Amino acid sequence: MENRTMFPGPRYGIRGLRELLGVPRAPLLCTALKPMGRSAEELADMAYSLARGGMDIIKDDHGLSNQIWAPFNKRVQLCSQAVLRANRETGRKTLYAPCLNAPSDQIFERAKFSKECGAGAVLLLPGLSGWDVARKLASDPTFGLPILIHPAMLGGWLHSHHRDDGEQQLDNDGEDEHPRGLSHEFLFGVLPRLCGGDAVIFPNEGSRFQVTSDECQQVVEGCRRPMGRFQPILPSPAGGMKLHHVNDMRKTFGDDTLYLIGGGLLEQGPDLEEGARMFAHCAGRDRPYHVPGREVKDLVSSYEARKPTKSNAVSRDSDCGDSLTANSIAEIERVAMAVRRRVLEYTLKNNGGYLSQACSSAETLATLYLCSLRLGPSVSPSIPGPFRGSPGPGIETVTGEGHNGDPTAPNLDRLIFSPVHYALVLYSLLVEIGRLDVKAFESYNKDGSTVELIGAEHSPGHAVTAGSLAQALSQAAGIAYGRKLKRHTGRVVVYMSDGEMQEGQTWEAVQCLVQHKIELTAVIDVNRQQCDGKMDQVCDIGNIANKLRAFGAIVKEVNGHNIGEIDTAVSHTHRGPTFVLCYTDPCHGFPLLRGRAPRLHYVRFKDAAEKQQWEDVLAKMDAPRLNHQKDTSKIPTSESYHQAKSMSIQTSPNAVINTHIEQCSVCSDIETVTRPHRAHLLEWMKDHPKAIVITADLTSSCEADLLRDSLPSQYLSLGMAEQNMMSFAGGLAREGFRPYIHTFGVFVTRRPYDQVAMSIGVPNLPVRLLGFLPGLTTPGGVTHQAIDDVALMRSIPNMRILEVGDATEVETVMDVAESIDGPVYIRMLRGEVPRLFPLHSPMKFGAARLLSTSNLFSRDSDIAIITAGICTEEAIKARKMIRKSSDVSILHLHLSTIVPFPSNDILRVCNFIRHGIITMENHSVIGGIGSATAEILAEHAVAKPLIRLGVPGGTYAHGASREYLVKEYGFDKHALVDAIEKLVRKKLTKDWEGDDGTPDSGINTKGGIANLIERPEDL
């Protein structure tokens, strides 16, 4: 079917719904809120009981719309809250699906409102609203909820066996002679699947509708049979089914089915929770599956999947709505004090520690881990292994986030820990709740340990490298955006310190979150302290709440030591970013600490007397420890952890690159191509759905405007906020996407250098940085001229650097970048670009082009010229200026791969060079190709003269034309000829020249640039 491309297909399908519900196998169960006439409050009570009883999906009756007894908004709010409350109490992931039975122009607004209220799915009636409504809703990337299709009013679409006079019309074989309408397979199977339904309700055999067994099997076939990219969906037989039908239905339809019983469940009596359990029993679901996470409160078992017990579970009082029980609060308070005690122990033992941070954050962190977040059981080693080196060749990226649960699980929450100087507090908490063995704590701040003083992403509980504060929020924004694109339901929560609000990148991230309505919760420890003292005395940032609200964020202000307030604020989500300001006391629990104010950042005891005071405090503390003895056979070892692919960023280790030289011809008839990247980018992106172009207010200037207008789903503008953009891209890459940043070279390298290094380089993430206007290709002056970008980027481990020299390389560099694991920086050309190399000669990673028809090592050459980018064109012009009778042989190498630098190739070339080497680059002579060549020659004691042409060291350029600048700063064709003459020590006369002073080779040129390239036979 050629028109399949216009259909979105299922967002989740069978597999996705099972992941959302936490039911990897066994039948799925659905019921309906009925009968009509019940109030919104009554329906919410029903939903709560049914969810507690074990239903997977609870849908509205299809007749519910916006009736006065149960208005839509009120009903959806109350029912969503009721189901979420039941989920928190039981540990399940029941979905509530409100019915979007409304005029078509109201459906999308109601769908968004349902999602904001916490509904887990929606019910659509295409027989009333039209199939295109379903298609459009499923295609909306901002929506992201499963869609259930109801068959109401679709009966007339089915093909009929009867004539208009009511007589059945069959042929001699008993088949329909004149079939009319659609088949059951297409109407209830294929069509809902095409239009984005994830489950479809259909009338079952034996129901109140006249349906045959064969017709039911047709529906199932349409739902499940292979259909290319359209994944299978759940058939849902219904229509007056009773509990005694379940066994027979299972035999007929199997387990990949959503069994729907509505009124038949109400017949079991007023105890709906018990009725739901009876339904589960009939379906073989006596032992409900549990979603790992917040519901598993058994601290002794380190959150292993077992039923909580009253003695150690952190639970809520079902009689008090969402409020925590007194025992639960007491348990969290006990854990918080135990964390402080452990931090004090370390501080005394080592005469130094982050004590005030434990005072301010213990309750907040304990509440997040024990109550507010849906975190799975730890999948990381309880005793982490030693530091294995930073990610790079042969070393995978491994984070400590596994101590918070599986970060790849779509339904679990993600906690991103930003204030890494709080690491001692976090480690202590992980020990207290059984996610980290106490022996691991003993390696804290020891040489070779991953349990570092200032946590890094390989440290327990840490997801990103955030020591350069404010980067974690931006990375979390990228992670949240990536999870949104993947339709994950788990939340992203960032824990921050208020000192980070002094960083400009924080506010860049806030405006990004608000602009793109990214659902993220930031929990901020507002203790009003920083390294140099009180914040209002160091750098007063005023009222944080008002500033955040001015940006459009949702702000909640709570007592950071009140567990109930913290949990209430964090547990209730909103559309867009939410900031929970936890006002805390940096001396909470340790009043003796006030004597050190305002210097509270890091505590070192002044003398033995002070230390004895703290010893006395510790002696009086009674913090009972939990029993951490477990079956160690179930604890993952460090070795198994590092080998587990599920816990590593999915990029292959960088292999050793073997650079080489390839013979390359040049075009004899040069053309100038206008904006080659613009058209090629769009076509390339269509074939790479995981690639996302990110711009910084320079979309048209970086030739991404056609993509923006034609393929907006793979485009994102983050405004003039490059620091946030780099960290955001790093977060997005962690979710499996391939960010392609488009901006000017100076804005990729100088302004956000720290973010590129920490958020992209250190974790070796596949972010591609396209830097336009390299070197002196712009009249924009010193602020826009990237003359030091190579020097900066080649100093970042893992960074690969590419540079394009013509239109062919512009059109093929994306393929090269995509083939590279880890970050890539590209010096990119725009606008009018000459085509120097044939289309059949694309850029290749690690390959230098030999612009000569002779064999590289057939005879000695006088001079070797090494160029890249626009300087290759200048070098070819220079060679045309040299009189052929001068008998000077030149070996010319064009580099498109700058890092890894072709060191071995350069050394091999040196063996065949008589007089010396000249490098010419559109860059400072410090830190670029010239420096790299000099380093190689020096390291290998190669005694060959080297002349480096480029922007002279110790100077900046100014605004002017490209032709003027390359001449002014000494790396045009004339400067190259002068350098050659210097090495060979003789004057090289010129052949006759054209009117513009360049050799007239008779080659046809097009465009305004003098793209004179010698024929291969002339080399």
Side-chain angles (χ1 to χ4, degrees):
M1 182 184 295
E2 294 181 358
N3 288 331
R4 282 185 179 181
T5 55
M6 69 182 290
F7 293 106
R11 188 184 301 271
Y12 292 93
I14 295 176
R15 182 177 178 180
L17 278 172
R18 285 194 177 280
E19 291 179 354
L20 285 179
L21 295 166
V23 185
R25 53 193 175 275
L28 297 174
L29 311 180
C30 180
T31 190
L33 299 178
K34 56 175 58 182
M36 299 287 285
R38 292 198 171 186
S39 67
E41 290 81 0
E42 291 173 321
L43 294 173
D45 289 339
M46 291 179 63
Y48 173 76
S49 298
L50 293 167
R52 283 187 57 86
M55 293 297 94
D56 296 309
I57 298 178
I58 301 170
K59 73 174 189 68
D60 279 350
D61 184 86
H62 64 279
L64 285 171
S65 179
N66 194 30
Q67 291 89 348
I68 57 174
W69 60 82
F72 179 86
N73 286 3
K74 184 177 181 181
R75 182 179 79 248
V76 173
Q77 286 178 326
L78 293 179
C79 290
S80 297
Q81 293 171 7
V83 171
L84 291 174
R85 177 160 59 96
N87 286 342
R88 286 194 292 269
E89 295 169 359
T90 65
R92 301 187 186 95
K93 188 63 174 75
T94 300
L95 304 180
Y96 165 60
C99 178
L100 305 184
N101 183 358
S104 59
D105 60 341
Q106 299 178 20
I107 288 179
F108 300 101
E109 180 180 350
R110 290 192 179 186
K112 293 181 180 179
F113 177 82
S114 299
K115 181 179 180 181
E116 292 174 0
C117 290
V122 295
L123 180 71
L124 284 181
L125 283 61
L128 291 173
S129 61
W131 286 102
D132 195 58
V133 170
R135 183 195 68 81
K136 186 175 180 181
L137 187 61
S139 301
D140 185 356
T142 67
F143 180 56
L145 296 185
I147 296 175
L148 279 63
I149 300 295
H150 193 279
M153 305 300 291
L154 290 177
W157 295 51
L158 291 167
H159 77 71
S160 172
H161 298 289
H162 300 276
R163 301 183 313 199
D164 292 340
D165 58 7
E167 291 293 323
Q168 192 171 21
Q169 192 73 20
L170 303 177
D171 61 17
N172 294 333
D173 295 325
E175 297 294 329
D176 211 351
E177 184 177 3
H178 301 291
R180 303 175 184 179
L182 305 176
S183 69
H184 283 72
E185 178 181 5
F186 184 83
L187 182 61
F188 295 128
V190 174
L191 188 55
R193 203 168 162 187
L194 292 173
C195 292
D198 298 290
V200 59
I201 301 167
F202 67 94
N204 186 29
E205 178 191 18
S207 68
R208 56 180 177 267
F209 304 98
Q210 294 182 353
V211 184
T212 67
S213 175
D214 288 343
E215 289 168 336
C216 291
Q217 289 299 329
Q218 289 177 27
V219 174
V220 174
E221 177 70 10
C223 290
R224 295 179 185 163
R225 66 177 173 84
M227 278 178 51
R229 67 181 178 87
F230 299 97
Q231 56 185 318
I233 64 175
L234 286 167
S236 182
M241 294 293 98
K242 312 292 184 183
L243 292 185
H244 65 266
H245 291 135
V246 173
N247 189 47
D248 290 336
M249 286 195 295
R250 285 192 69 189
K251 293 178 181 178
T252 302
F253 301 116
D255 285 351
D256 278 340
T257 303
L258 180 65
Y259 293 102
L260 170 57
I261 297 181
L265 203 59
L266 302 182
E267 295 175 359
Q268 305 306 311
D271 190 344
L272 295 182
E273 184 173 340
E274 183 59 27
R277 291 197 178 99
M278 292 178 64
F279 186 6
H281 172 76
C282 294
R285 291 276 299 278
D286 292 295
R287 183 181 179 184
Y289 288 90
H290 290 269
V291 180
R294 64 185 293 176
E295 72 281 5
V296 190
K297 301 302 184 183
D298 189 345
L299 303 181
V300 175
S301 63
S302 184
Y303 291 74
E304 299 294 335
R306 65 178 66 174
K307 185 176 181 180
T309 62
K310 293 182 179 179
S311 60
N312 55 28
V314 175
S315 59
R316 299 173 187 275
D317 189 341
S318 59
D319 296 329
C320 303
D322 281 347
S323 62
L324 288 161
T325 65
N327 289 338
S328 301
I329 293 175
E331 173 63 14
I332 295 175
E333 290 175 341
R334 189 205 63 76
V335 170
M337 187 53 68
V339 168
R340 292 192 183 95
R341 187 180 194 278
R342 189 174 294 278
V343 173
L344 177 56
E345 283 179 336
Y346 178 88
T347 304
L348 287 166
K349 179 180 178 181
N350 295 274
N351 193 32
Y354 291 100
L355 196 54
S356 68
Q357 290 80 356
C359 293
S360 64
S361 67
E363 281 84 8
T364 304
L365 288 171
T367 303
L368 293 178
Y369 270 89
L370 298 179
C371 185
S372 302
L373 301 184
R374 183 182 293 277
L375 301 176
S378 173
V379 292
S380 291
S382 59
I383 302 178
F387 179 63
R388 295 194 170 200
S390 60
I395 303 177
E396 287 186 306
T397 299
V398 178
T399 75
E401 191 178 5
H403 289 92
N404 303 335
D406 184 356
T408 66
N411 59 317
L412 297 183
D413 295 340
R414 302 274 295 277
L415 177 62
I416 311 300
F417 193 74
S418 181
V420 292
H421 53 292
Y422 285 41
L424 178 59
V425 184
L426 179 58
Y427 302 149
S428 300
L429 175 61
L430 294 175
V431 169
E432 291 303 324
I433 62 177
R435 291 176 178 264
L436 195 64
D437 193 282
V438 67
K439 294 180 180 179
F441 191 86
E442 295 173 358
S443 65
Y444 172 68
N445 198 26
K446 296 294 191 297
D447 293 344
S449 170
T450 55
V451 190
E452 297 187 14
L453 174 70
I454 301 295
E457 65 180 62
H458 50 257
S459 301
H462 292 68
V464 300
T465 295
S468 183
L469 293 177
Q471 294 193 32
L473 181 60
S474 296
Q475 293 182 70
I479 291 172
Y481 189 80
R483 299 194 90 195
K484 174 182 176 182
L485 294 178
K486 294 191 296 185
R487 304 180 180 93
H488 286 190
T489 56
R491 296 186 298 158
V492 175
V493 176
V494 188
Y495 184 76
M496 303 174 58
S497 63
D498 55 350
E500 297 179 70
M501 308 309 286
Q502 295 174 345
E503 293 278 2
Q505 183 178 350
T506 296
W507 300 101
E508 290 184 3
V510 172
Q511 67 183 6
C512 167
L513 290 163
V514 172
Q515 175 68 29
H516 296 284
K517 297 180 175 63
I518 298 174
E519 296 181 11
L520 176 148
T521 300
V523 181
I524 304 177
D525 178 21
V526 186
N527 63 17
R528 304 174 184 85
Q529 290 289 139
Q530 59 186 107
C531 186
D532 282 351
K534 295 184 65 176
M535 288 181 62
D536 59 1
Q537 296 175 0
V538 177
C539 181
D540 190 3
I541 57 175
N543 190 308
I544 299 174
N546 287 347
K547 286 181 168 63
L548 288 168
R549 291 189 179 104
F551 273 77
I554 297 171
V555 180
K556 301 178 181 181
E557 300 176 81
V558 301
N559 179 346
H561 303 295
N562 186 306
I563 292 163
E565 288 187 22
I566 298 168
D567 180 60
T568 299
V570 175
S571 297
H572 291 79
T573 60
H574 303 269
R575 185 181 182 188
T578 301
F579 290 81
V580 179
L581 304 185
C582 298
Y583 295 101
T584 61
D585 177 3
C587 302
H588 187 78
F590 291 145
L592 180 60
L593 195 57
R594 300 191 193 283
R596 300 183 63 92
R599 299 284 191 264
L600 300 176
H601 181 71
Y602 190 86
V603 172
R604 289 188 186 277
F605 302 118
K606 294 176 288 187
D607 49 40
E610 184 186 23
K611 186 174 183 180
Q612 184 58 53
Q613 286 182 305
W614 284 102
E615 294 279 6
D616 294 341
V617 171
L618 179 64
K620 295 177 182 179
M621 295 184 70
D622 181 18
R625 303 302 176 85
L626 296 175
N627 180 8
H628 294 299
Q629 293 182 357
K630 315 174 190 180
D631 180 3
T632 56
S633 64
K634 297 181 181 179
I635 298 176
T637 65
S638 175
E639 190 65 30
S640 65
Y641 168 70
H642 282 280
Q643 292 175 351
K645 292 184 178 179
S646 65
M647 285 312 305
S648 61
I649 304 297
Q650 294 302 305
T651 59
S652 302
N654 289 324
V656 176
I657 305 299
N658 294 316
T659 59
H660 58 284
I661 298 174
E662 291 190 352
Q663 195 89 24
C664 178
S665 62
V666 292
C667 298
S668 58
D669 190 11
I670 302 302
E671 64 172 331
T672 297
V673 183
T674 301
R675 305 185 77 183
H677 180 63
R678 184 174 186 265
H680 178 262
L681 176 64
L682 175 61
E683 296 306 314
W684 189 90
M685 293 288 288
K686 290 178 181 178
D687 295 329
H688 297 82
K690 287 289 187 180
I692 297 178
V693 167
I694 303 177
T695 66
D697 200 44
L698 293 170
T699 303
S700 297
S701 300
C702 295
E703 300 186 1
D705 51 329
L706 182 60
L707 172 77
R708 174 197 60 197
D709 299 337
S710 305
L711 200 61
S713 62
Q714 290 179 248
Y715 165 83
L716 189 63
S717 175
L718 297 184
M720 291 185 286
E722 290 84 4
Q723 294 178 352
N724 172 70
M725 178 170 65
M726 298 304 168
S727 296
F728 183 99
L732 192 59
R734 289 179 184 272
E735 292 302 304
F737 293 92
R738 316 286 270 198
Y740 279 77
I741 288 176
H742 284 54
T743 188
F744 295 166
V746 289
F747 304 141
V748 171
T749 56
R750 289 182 194 157
R751 180 184 294 269
Y753 183 79
D754 182 40
Q755 285 74 14
V756 172
M758 294 295 103
S759 297
I760 298 172
V762 168
N764 196 33
L765 293 171
V767 178
R768 288 75 174 92
L769 309 166
L770 279 71
F772 291 78
L773 304 184
L776 303 185
T777 56
T778 171
V782 64
T783 59
H784 284 56
Q785 293 163 339
I787 63 171
D788 51 4
D789 54 336
V790 173
L792 291 169
M793 300 303 268
R794 69 186 284 252
S795 66
I796 297 179
N798 298 324
M799 185 65 69
R800 307 302 192 189
I801 302 178
L802 308 175
E803 182 166 11
V804 300
D806 85 320
T808 299
E809 292 190 337
V810 167
E811 294 167 346
T812 55
V813 70
M814 299 283 282
D815 287 326
V816 175
E818 186 66 11
S819 70
I820 299 172
D821 293 322
V824 181
Y825 175 60
I826 303 172
R827 302 189 95 207
M828 196 66 169
L829 297 177
R830 66 172 190 173
E832 304 283 310
V833 183
R835 189 178 300 283
L836 308 183
F837 310 123
L839 288 171
H840 61 75
S841 182
M843 177 189 288
K844 295 180 181 178
F845 186 43
R849 298 181 189 264
L850 173 62
L851 305 184
S852 172
T853 57
S854 61
N855 185 279
L856 174 61
F857 307 119
S858 61
R859 62 186 179 88
D860 288 349
S861 298
D862 292 305
I863 300 293
I865 301 174
I866 304 172
T867 62
I870 64 170
C871 289
T872 294
E873 179 185 7
E874 289 292 323
I876 295 174
K877 292 178 184 179
R879 290 167 54 202
K880 289 297 297 181
M881 294 170 60
I882 298 175
R883 180 173 54 83
K884 298 176 183 178
S885 60
S886 65
D887 195 30
V888 174
S889 58
I890 298 175
L891 192 152
H892 182 189
L893 288 182
H894 164 75
L895 304 184
S896 55
T897 302
I898 310 301
V899 176
F901 196 69
S903 304
N904 292 333
D905 296 330
I906 300 300
L907 290 173
R908 292 168 64 197
V909 166
C910 289
N911 293 328
F912 297 88
I913 298 302
R914 294 190 185 94
H915 297 293
I917 302 169
I918 302 171
T919 61
M920 188 162 74
E921 57 191 312
N922 178 29
H923 185 272
S924 169
V925 296
I926 299 175
I929 293 174
S931 291
T933 303
E935 292 163 7
I936 294 166
L937 298 181
E939 288 170 357
H940 292 83
V942 176
K944 293 291 175 69
L946 170 66
I947 295 178
R948 296 178 296 160
L949 301 181
V951 180
T955 185
Y956 289 103
H958 62 285
S961 68
R962 165 181 154 181
E963 291 75 13
Y964 169 84
L965 290 172
V966 297
K967 180 178 180 180
E968 176 72 12
Y969 290 96
F971 57 98
D972 68 343
K973 58 188 178 183
H974 300 290
L976 180 56
V977 170
D978 292 342
I980 295 172
E981 291 177 342
K982 180 179 180 179
L983 287 177
V984 299
R985 298 180 181 179
K986 62 180 178 180
K987 186 70 175 179
L988 303 177
T989 58
K990 305 176 183 178
D991 289 326
W992 61 277
E993 300 177 349
D995 293 338
D996 61 353
T998 59
D1000 187 351
S1001 64
I1003 300 174
N1004 177 36
T1005 63
K1006 301 176 182 178
I1009 301 176
N1011 299 315
L1012 297 175
I1013 310 298
E1014 58 189 329
R1015 297 185 179 91
E1017 58 267 28
D1018 293 333
L1019 295 179

